[in-house]
Amino acid sequence: MSEEELAKDLGPLAALTIGVGTMIGAGIFVLPGDAISTAGSLAVLSFVVGGAIALLTALSASELGTAMPRSGGAYYYVNHALGPLFGSIAGWANWLGLAFASAFYMVGFGQYIGRIAGVAGTVGVGPVTVDVVSLIALAGGTFFVGVNYVGAKETGRLQNVIVLILIAILTVFTLVGGFQADVSNLPKNEGLTPMLTATGFIFVSYLGFVQITSVAEEIKDPGKNLPRAVIGSVVLVTGIYALVLFVMSATVEPGFIAGMGENEIAVVQVAERLLGPVGAVAMLFGGLLATASSANASILASSRINFAMGRDRVISPDLNRVHPRFSTPYRSIAITGGLMLSFIIGVDLVGGNAVTTLSGLASFLHLIIYGLLNVSLIVMRVTDPPDYNPDFRVPLSPITPALGAITSFALIYYIEPMVTAFGAAIVAWAVIWYAGYARERSLTTGVLRKYLREPRLTDGPGEDMPDDDKDYRILVPLANPEHETELISLASAIARQRGGTVVATHIVTVPDQTSLEYGAEHIDQLDAESESLLETAQQDATTHGVPVETHTILSHRSFGEIFDAAKTHDADLIVMGWGPDSHGAPGRAEGALDEITEDVPCDTLVFRNRGFDPAKILVPTAGGPDSELSAATTALLEAEYDSDVTLLHVAEDRAEGEAFLEEWAADRGLEDATLRVETGDIESAIIEDARDATLVVVGATERGLLDRLVRGSVLIDAIEDVECSVLMAERKRDRSLWERLFG
């Protein structure tokens, strides 16, 4: 059996953008008009107060997340610390809170589409009259539910791009508006109570940071990156909110925002005042992106909450079954989508302000969760169970989490009474659900209950992990069973010569909507061939007489996970196949974006498989660091298979070329190789000399990415035209961004 492991897909930027991307949606593009109309000049303060409450909870979430990086985030922490009764409350509040937030985002989306299309008013649908914005919201919501149902993959990088675009738009808006701001334009101060009322319904703007903890198990180095992402997202977004609200309030005359029409959007109108039509278009585009990405992120996050609740039997685990074709938790997504759409319809039929009603309900439910989350941290600190070892600790505990709990619960008082009553009914439903369903089925007890039974929870004696001697480790990512034998044979030959170990891995790509933890429990549904592929690899490597490890890695990425797996398993060399993504940056091992952002973590060999036969090896070289690896690899294969080796160098002057090649061969232990110097076209020389070869081993190109993308790659062209297999070698080394782009 291979070992299963969950990939660490998310770097610090990706983790940060999960929080920022969700928060920056409605908070700044939909709610400012209502906030200013309610609180006047104190609308700025309402966002700052909301940010301060969120920051207190962010500190607690960071400590709990580094101690318990599990799918489910806030729900899991509450359920683990306080037990399944409060877990049921937190789970239902989180799930329905996300559904209300998604409905709110889609109403905002509908407003922006309506503004762009120039449509407004109501239309008759059968016996009822429905607002046009609601119809657009329903259509948009159906679309995003469908996207998550089908399972769009690798959306993390797209989310990064969206966040950067939104920040750029708001930065320009703030800078231009800052020079035109006049404090005399600030509207009337409406007082503390209206300010706190505004804080209550705008608090939905601060939901995103807790979603980071829901994917804590997927964050690289969570001890450092999770607190930075959680706390950093709250601080960054609060600063953006405060600056934008100030600019909006101080750059237009008093009463301008309060006097806007029902179908007008405050940030768009102010942007048009400051920047003209270009500003209005930019803000419309930003609002469309923000509301859409926030809704999509919330629908996606809900499936993670459902999985955690099903895992603990707070709800039926059948809800989390994955689709046989799309590998997504389709039932959970469908129910969440149905709830979201029903909330949009219900609010429209009841009447009133859909924006503040839906945002208020989402805020109420999440304030309940945040209060319980802070209480959970206090419980974990007091009980101090043996397995509680956070990498980050909240300063001034228990004062800090106590303030977080008190302020979260206290803000509920200022939310609209009807909204509060409906939210309280949901909490009551969660208690009834626990008593009637979850109590007899729940698999957890809660740290608090265990402590009350036996308060002496102390750490046992620690055991130091043995530090194994470092051996030479070769990572072989396997994807296609047809190429498994060749890749394992190549890696085994090198491992035998180096006295090393083959580490065979198979990366199972899991849709973003499905948690990696759930994927690990249902690996057969996601990839039925994984186990047999690795078993065959183990048998093949054992036949070659080398030690072998096998690992199944579950990841939300595919090709990009290879390099992270190499770091995780401390690989000295990667031997991988030439798949469709392997040469996204022509002539290098990594893809184009990977080449820009980071260096390969270790030496890498990319095998273009036309059959593995090292009997006659051709090594084209012009010198350079990557040719060093091609020479070293060739020497190992020659020693293993007694290969006939030919070295090829293309030069303008034959005599100089021969002198270079003789010295190069002698310095690399290839003195017995046949030396061949050609003049003329490099590509033609490689193709011609490869006619007698069974394997070409060549170093990766040294040209920069931009140059290769514009002019193509001689190396790739030659590899495509030769008839034998090709092994491209890329040496691990640090390259500056300039070198990556321009060579």
Side-chain angles (χ1 to χ4, degrees), residues 454-473:
E454 176 53 65
R456 292 184 178 85
L457 295 177
T458 58
D459 291 331
E463 295 183 4
D464 295 330
M465 295 296 292
D467 185 15
D468 296 330
D469 293 335
K470 177 72 170 71
D471 64 344
Y472 192 83
R473 297 172 62 79

Side-chain angles (χ1 to χ4, degrees), residues 251-527:
T251 54
V252 294
E253 65 273 15
F256 174 81
I257 292 176
M260 287 192 314
E262 182 180 350
N263 298 310
E264 293 178 321
I265 304 172
V267 289
V268 176
Q269 297 301 113
V270 175
E272 189 170 23
R273 276 288 193 95
L274 295 177
L275 298 165
V278 173
V281 170
M283 200 61 74
L284 283 168
F285 176 67
L288 205 60
L289 277 180
T291 52
S293 64
S294 294
N296 190 61
S298 294
I299 296 169
L300 188 154
S302 69
S303 64
R304 308 289 181 87
I305 304 301
N306 295 155
F307 162 70
M309 294 172 70
R311 177 186 59 203
D312 298 330
R313 300 299 191 272
V314 172
I315 60 174
S316 170
D318 290 340
L319 192 64
N320 293 315
R321 294 203 173 188
V322 298
H323 195 282
R325 177 181 175 189
F326 304 126
S327 300
T328 59
Y330 65 102
R331 294 179 177 177
S332 170
I333 292 170
I335 293 175
T336 300
L339 289 170
M340 175 188 70
L341 298 177
S342 67
F343 294 155
I344 295 172
I345 295 171
V347 170
D348 183 78
L349 294 178
V350 170
N353 189 326
V355 166
T356 56
T357 299
L358 291 171
S359 64
L361 282 164
S363 295
F364 175 95
L365 294 173
H366 280 84
L367 285 167
I368 293 290
I369 299 166
Y370 292 178
L372 292 175
L373 186 148
N374 283 288
V375 173
S376 298
L377 177 62
I378 296 172
V379 168
M380 297 304 290
R381 282 290 193 97
V382 170
T383 59
D384 193 23
D387 59 348
Y388 187 72
N389 298 298
D391 294 315
F392 169 85
R393 287 188 174 268
V394 174
L396 302 178
S397 182
I399 296 175
T400 303
L403 282 174
I406 292 169
T407 53
S408 295
F409 290 136
L411 186 59
I412 292 173
Y413 176 80
Y414 295 94
I415 294 177
E416 184 182 342
M418 286 297 295
V419 171
T420 301
F422 194 83
I426 292 175
V427 173
W429 158 256
V431 174
I432 294 170
W433 177 268
Y434 168 76
Y437 178 88
R439 183 176 183 179
E440 299 300 325
R441 295 174 175 84
S442 177
L443 302 179
T444 58
T445 302
V447 170
L448 180 60
R449 185 174 181 182
K450 294 177 182 176
Y451 179 77
L452 294 175
R453 288 177 175 175
E454 176 53 65
R456 292 184 178 85
L457 295 177
T458 58
D459 291 331
E463 295 183 4
D464 295 330
M465 295 296 292
D467 185 15
D468 296 330
D469 293 335
K470 177 72 170 71
D471 64 344
Y472 192 83
R473 297 172 62 79
I474 304 174
L475 182 81
V476 187
L478 300 171
N480 189 339
E482 295 180 2
H483 299 160
E484 174 273 327
T485 300
E486 287 80 4
L487 288 174
I488 291 296
S489 297
L490 171 60
S492 297
I494 298 172
R496 191 159 52 237
Q497 288 294 317
R498 296 294 303 263
T501 299
V502 171
V503 183
T505 63
H506 179 56
I507 298 170
V508 177
T509 304
V510 179
D512 285 340
Q513 294 76 10
T514 304
S515 76
L516 297 184
E517 192 174 351
Y518 183 87
E521 295 179 3
H522 301 81
I523 187 69
D524 291 340
Q525 297 178 44
L526 298 173
D527 194 326

